[in-house]
């Protein structure tokens, strides 16, 4: 269950602010772990369909969508792209190892 957090501007002190950041970090890690489950399922489907781990058009599609969403919500699209390219590279490496 997600804890309701105060707006950052309403945090009275560093302790409260840090506690909120810690809650968000737990949520982020949980979502990343959940995403890996989908990556692992992709390995099975790619194996069944003779697809490679790295599909460049899909990579660029994901990055484009992430940049657009980052811009939409006021997050730095350059940072979003960098983070996702690292995550995508890791995911492709994981898929390649599992695909053999």
């Amino acid at each position: 269950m997600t804890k309701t957090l105060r707006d950052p501007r309403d945090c009275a002190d560093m302790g409260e602010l840090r506690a909120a950041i810690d809650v968000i970090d737990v949520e982020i890690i949980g979502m990343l772990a959940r995403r890996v489950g989908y990556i692992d399922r992709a390995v099975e489907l790619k194996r069944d369909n003779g697809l490679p781990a790295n599909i460049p058009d899909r990579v660029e599609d994901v990055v484009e969508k992430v940049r657009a969403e980052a811009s939409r919500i006021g997050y730095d699209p350059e940072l979003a792209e960098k983070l996702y390219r690292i995550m995508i590279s890791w995911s492709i490496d994981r898929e390649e190892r599992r695909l053999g």
Side-chain angles (χ1 to χ4, degrees), residues 16-79:
E16 185 178 359
L17 189 71
R18 287 176 179 150
I21 290 170
D22 290 347
V23 168
I24 293 167
D25 287 344
V26 167
E27 291 174 2
I28 291 169
I29 294 300
M31 292 178 81
L32 291 172
R34 185 172 171 208
R35 190 179 193 282
V36 170
Y38 287 91
I39 297 302
D40 289 347
R41 177 63 177 140
V43 170
E44 296 168 1
L45 294 171
K46 286 178 177 182
R47 182 179 292 121
D48 292 347
N49 292 285
L51 297 171
N54 186 5
I55 302 173
D57 288 345
R58 174 61 180 154
V59 170
E60 295 312 312
D61 181 54
V62 170
V63 169
E64 181 180 316
K65 288 176 183 175
V66 165
R67 286 184 64 89
E69 179 61 11
S71 293
R72 186 187 74 77
I73 65 170
Y75 186 74
D76 181 351
E78 295 294 322
L79 178 57

Side-chain angles (χ1 to χ4, degrees), residues 84-97:
Y84 264 77
R85 287 203 184 272
I86 291 167
M87 187 167 48
I88 290 167
S89 177
W90 180 90
S91 298
I92 290 169
D93 289 347
R94 181 180 178 92
E95 287 182 18
E96 286 175 342
R97 284 191 308 273

